[in-house]
Every structure is written in C-alpha cells, then in structure tokens.
Amino acid sequence: MVKTQGRHGEVAAELHTDFPERFENRRRLFALAGDDTRRELKVESFWPHKGQVVLKFAGIDSISDAETLIGSELQVPASERVELEHGAAYVHDLVGCTVFDADRKIGTVSDVRFGAGEAPLLVVQGEKEYEIPFAQAFLQNFDLGRKEIRMLLPEGLLEVNAPLTEDEKQQQRGS
C-alpha cells in the first residue's frame, strides 16, 4: 500500500493483479509489513482511482490507522488463489527461480519490481544484480516445478547495468 487516501482510513494500493474484479468477492486479505508481521484485514469497500485501487478496511477508520498499513504488501492466502491459465504465474512463484539466457545461467530471482514499463522486472542476483523484463517476447519457457525461467534475451541487455569501463568514465568526464 502506497499512501493514505481520504480522511476515513482509506489506503491507495498499486494493483499487481489481472483480476481486480475479485475484490467484489474477496473480503479477507492479509497485509505483510516490512518487519514480516502479517495482519488480517476485512475489505469494506474499494474503488479504482488513478491507476490504483483505494481500499477501506474494517477497523481502519482514521488517517493515523491507515498510516500503519503504508508499505505493506497485500496478500491472498495460497489456498485461496485463483488457478491461473497455462503460461501465467504469480509473482511470489517467480522468486527463487533460476534464470537462463538460452543455456547460460544468469542467476536467481530475488525480487520482482513493477512500474518501470509494461513488463515487470525480474531482479536477478548473479555475477551482479540484473533487472530483466519478464516480457513474453523474451520468454522461452518457465517451469515453476523446477524453479527455472528460460529466456532468449536481446544482445546487450545484460550489459545495460554493467559498471562503466575506465574509457567510459573518461568520456563522461569530458576528457
């Protein structure tokens, strides 16, 4: 959840779901705080607002109540998740997967970031940290049972985040 919204305990949250209409029937969510504490919340109402969703929870009735939720991740218990169609995955399932570019091992997914473009970014820890778009155009195959993501990445994509060479540093300084 990213910010308070209004004066009655509402919070604005980023949507990381393809099924926002499911808030209609799902009234129980969990808020996972940065310190790994989890709190059950009951949805009283919700509505879309500027690309986000505004949520009103039972017992959260003031701005100061709502502030306690900021930075928390909303979660649905695994037992209540909707079964996805073939080729789709929950973000949580991608963390811990090994990423390959063709047959070359790149590293392990440590996080998934949103907001930088249409495709979420896989944060991959390998020789260094890489941000790789989880885009259908690059995806060859993923096997969640084996915790593997196989991609065919465009040439140079992994070098985008590479440290500058001494020559590049000199060019930036104007020498």
Side-chain angles (χ1 to χ4, degrees):
M1 293 176 267
V2 295
K3 65 179 184 168
T4 61
Q5 181 76 33
R7 292 181 276 167
H8 303 288
E10 300 94 344
V11 293
E14 294 178 353
L15 277 176
H16 298 293
T17 179
D18 292 333
F19 312 106
E21 69 279 2
R22 295 228 165 92
F23 283 116
E24 287 290 340
N25 299 319
R26 183 175 314 287
R27 295 298 179 181
R28 182 176 78 128
L29 296 171
F30 290 86
L32 178 65
D35 63 1
D36 287 334
T37 58
R38 188 170 277 121
R39 175 179 178 183
E40 184 173 349
L41 298 169
K42 296 206 182 332
V43 178
E44 285 184 351
S45 62
F46 72 96
W47 59 93
H49 181 68
K50 297 182 181 180
Q52 297 179 328
V53 64
V54 176
L55 297 148
K56 172 65 178 92
F57 297 108
I60 307 295
D61 297 315
S62 68
I63 292 172
S64 57
D65 289 344
E67 285 174 342
T68 66
L69 298 173
I70 303 308
S72 295
E73 177 182 303
L74 284 177
Q75 298 179 328
V76 174
S79 63
E80 296 177 22
R81 293 193 301 187
V82 174
E83 190 169 324
L84 298 177
E85 63 187 47
H86 180 71
Y90 285 104
V91 169
H92 175 76
D93 294 333
L94 299 174
V95 174
C97 286
T98 302
V99 178
F100 294 86
D101 180 19
D103 289 328
R104 179 178 151 221
K105 180 180 173 181
I106 304 303
T108 303
V109 178
S110 63
D111 195 9
V112 180
R113 294 184 184 143
F114 293 87
E118 282 189 35
L121 293 175
L122 301 176
V123 179
V124 179
Q125 301 298 322
E127 293 176 10
K128 59 188 214 99
E129 182 177 281
Y130 300 99
E131 292 182 339
I132 301 172
F134 190 61
Q136 190 66 39
F138 305 151
L139 191 61
Q140 188 177 29
N141 182 7
F142 67 94
D143 183 336
L144 296 177
R146 295 180 67 187
K147 301 292 278 179
E148 291 183 352
I149 300 172
R150 296 202 172 264
M151 305 182 91
L152 292 174
L153 301 173
E155 194 167 321
L157 180 80
L158 295 177
E159 286 73 31
V160 170
N161 291 329
L164 295 176
T165 65
E166 282 304 315
D167 288 341
E168 291 168 329
K169 289 178 187 176
Q170 291 292 342
Q171 286 178 346
Q172 281 191 347
R173 288 186 213 129
S175 302

